[in-house]
Amino acid sequence: MSSPVPAVFAVPVIAFVVAVTLGRFAVLNHTAIDRLLNRSLAWTAVSLVLLERGIAPQFGSLMHQLSMGATMLAIASIYGAATLWADTDPRVAARRQRYYDLAAVASVGLILLIGTPYRRAGTLLGQDSSWQEFVVSAVMWIPLIAAGRLVWRVGLRELRTGQVSRYERAVFTALLAAPVIAGASLVSSIARHTGRWNADDPHLTRWAAPNFGTVFVLAAMLAVPLAELVSARAGWDRSGRRCRRLRPLWSELTAAVPEIVLPASGPVPPDARLLRMTVEIRDALMHLHRYLPAEQTTPGPPSTERYARQLRQAITAKRAGAAPAAGATEADRFGTPSSDLDSDIRRLLELAQAWRIRETRTVPTGLTKLLPKPSRGG
């Protein structure tokens, strides 16, 4: 008994689904919806593996029926997630989910019971247009249609608001596409039962191919927030990259003015870390402007490169114990913070770039030359 989907297509899809499932269980398993979606992905991965009957042909009939059962368990989780998307009270949804799971387990038992003669004969449940196939198809498609209807309702509602991001639009589009892909199996089953399609399909590819397609679309959709989270934690996202560019400047400024550093409690997300670094850099500039060289009195902010040089001199003067000057303001040297956070961050990134350029041109002892030399007179 061979597999309905060639290994060259099946293995990459299964590997991808398993990877997304493990990744989401590891880092994206906190909310009720995430947990239900992860459970659904896990059961669909099991279903796809069991569809590859070629790995154990002698148990092909049993593997096929267990694959159907795993799909039913996945549908129960998808339906539960859909009810939460539809704004069902989480406490009510949790109570109902137990009933969905029990119904799914009962349907697995029914599939195995009806499929007993097929297992004994070593054939696949669904190869013939029998009443057994009709019952099993109804058991599987009624909850799947109900879940698809709910997903469509929620997806269309969100898309019609016009207040969704590009990612959310892609997610809801994928959700709307998944039932359509899965519906290919239903259409073929109806055509077979009504005698309108009698093509030879001994491996039930008509059932397996839409299943693989649907699972791949759902896994790809659920991989997007996983990739975003992993990227953010690794510092590969936009905020993480900006934090890395600001870090050399931030490190020296906060070392010079440690009292402005905000207390931290646990890991900080990249967006919050970027905001925090921006605030701390601005606070440090406000403190250090009083130590800027007095000879620089021309009105208006200087060039970014010159301001970076002056900042280094101010840090050196503060560490040397120089008295802060009065009268100068931060706006005289670097400009006031913008009300637009993104513009302010871009300004600080320019300063950080000038800081790094200046750093590469300065020998390690360059700053010490600015320190007052100790008197030899005793």
Side-chain angles (χ1 to χ4, degrees):
M1 191 175 289
S2 61
S3 303
V5 177
V8 67
F9 299 110
V11 172
V13 172
I14 292 173
F16 174 67
V17 174
V18 170
V20 173
T21 302
L22 294 177
R24 287 184 60 91
F25 269 114
V27 300
L28 202 59
N29 196 43
H30 307 300
T31 68
I33 290 181
D34 282 332
R35 287 191 291 270
L36 287 171
L37 292 175
N38 294 347
R39 278 175 47 186
S40 178
L41 265 185
W43 283 119
T44 54
V46 172
S47 175
L48 296 187
V49 171
L50 290 171
L51 278 176
E52 291 303 292
R53 299 182 290 271
I55 60 179
Q58 66 275 26
F59 302 109
S61 181
L62 175 61
M63 292 175 65
H64 174 65
Q65 294 174 25
L66 290 177
S67 175
M68 290 181 172
T71 301
M72 293 303 303
L73 294 168
I75 292 173
S77 296
I78 290 176
Y79 190 83
T83 60
L84 287 172
W85 274 326
D87 299 326
T88 302
D89 185 281
R91 291 170 296 182
V92 175
R95 185 170 62 252
R96 290 178 179 175
Q97 187 61 45
R98 290 192 288 269
Y99 298 122
Y100 303 152
D101 293 337
L102 288 175
V105 171
S107 67
V108 174
L110 180 61
I111 290 171
L112 292 175
L113 178 63
I114 292 177
T116 301
Y118 293 86
R119 294 197 303 274
R120 290 173 180 171
T123 58
L124 298 178
L125 177 58
Q127 281 182 330
D128 55 350
S129 300
S130 61
W131 67 268
Q132 290 96 332
E133 183 195 5
F134 180 81
V135 171
V136 170
S137 296
V139 167
M140 296 189 67
W141 277 104
I142 289 175
L144 188 56
I145 290 173
R149 177 178 173 273
L150 193 54
V151 167
W152 263 71
R153 190 179 71 185
V154 175
L156 290 175
R157 182 191 66 188
E158 295 298 328
L159 289 174
R160 286 169 178 166
T161 63
Q163 300 177 349
V164 292
S165 64
R166 283 183 297 177
Y167 161 67
E168 290 172 332
R169 184 175 296 276
V171 167
F172 287 116
T173 302
L175 282 174
L176 297 179
V180 175
I181 298 173
S185 177
L186 176 61
V187 171
S188 63
S189 296
I190 293 174
R192 190 176 180 86
H193 277 291
T194 57
R196 296 180 180 274
W197 184 58
N198 296 312
D200 189 32
D201 186 22
H203 307 306
L204 295 183
T205 304
R206 71 177 189 276
W207 187 82
N211 198 11
F212 267 84
T214 304
V215 172
F216 177 77
V217 169
L218 291 175
M221 177 192 72
L222 295 176
V224 174
L226 173 64
E228 288 184 342
L229 180 60
V230 172
S231 175
R233 289 191 177 184
W236 299 335
D237 64 332
R238 185 177 185 225
S239 295
R241 293 194 302 271
R242 285 182 161 187
C243 286
R244 285 199 301 274
R245 291 168 60 189
L246 288 175
R247 187 167 297 280
L249 173 65
W250 172 85
S251 296
E252 291 208 42
L253 294 183
T254 53
V257 194
E259 61 270 22
I260 56 92
V261 177
L262 301 172
S265 57
V268 181
D271 289 342
R273 185 164 64 247
L274 177 61
L275 176 60
R276 174 176 172 163
M277 291 177 74
T278 301
V279 171
E280 291 176 346
I281 290 173
R282 273 297 186 178
D283 285 349
L285 295 180
M286 185 176 63
H287 281 72
L288 289 172
H289 80 266
R290 296 175 296 171
Y291 296 91
L292 291 175
E295 64 269 17
Q296 300 292 340
T297 57
T298 55
S303 69
T304 305
E305 291 76 13
R306 186 154 59 94
Y307 185 66
R309 183 172 64 252
Q310 293 172 4
L311 267 182
R312 290 187 180 278
Q313 295 172 357
I315 291 174
T316 301
K318 183 176 185 299
R319 287 174 175 169
T329 65
E330 183 188 3
D332 292 338
R333 303 301 177 95
F334 191 60
T336 56
S338 171
S339 58
D340 178 11
L341 179 61
D342 196 59
S343 298
D344 205 34
I345 291 174
R346 285 197 298 269
R347 183 80 174 93
L348 293 179
L349 287 172
E350 293 174 3
L351 178 60
Q353 177 67 19
W355 187 272
R356 285 197 298 271
I357 292 174
R358 183 69 186 172
E359 193 174 51
T360 59
R361 295 176 181 172
T362 307
V363 296
T365 56
L367 290 179
T368 61
K369 295 179 181 178
L370 298 174
L371 291 171
K373 297 180 180 180
S375 173
R376 296 179 181 273

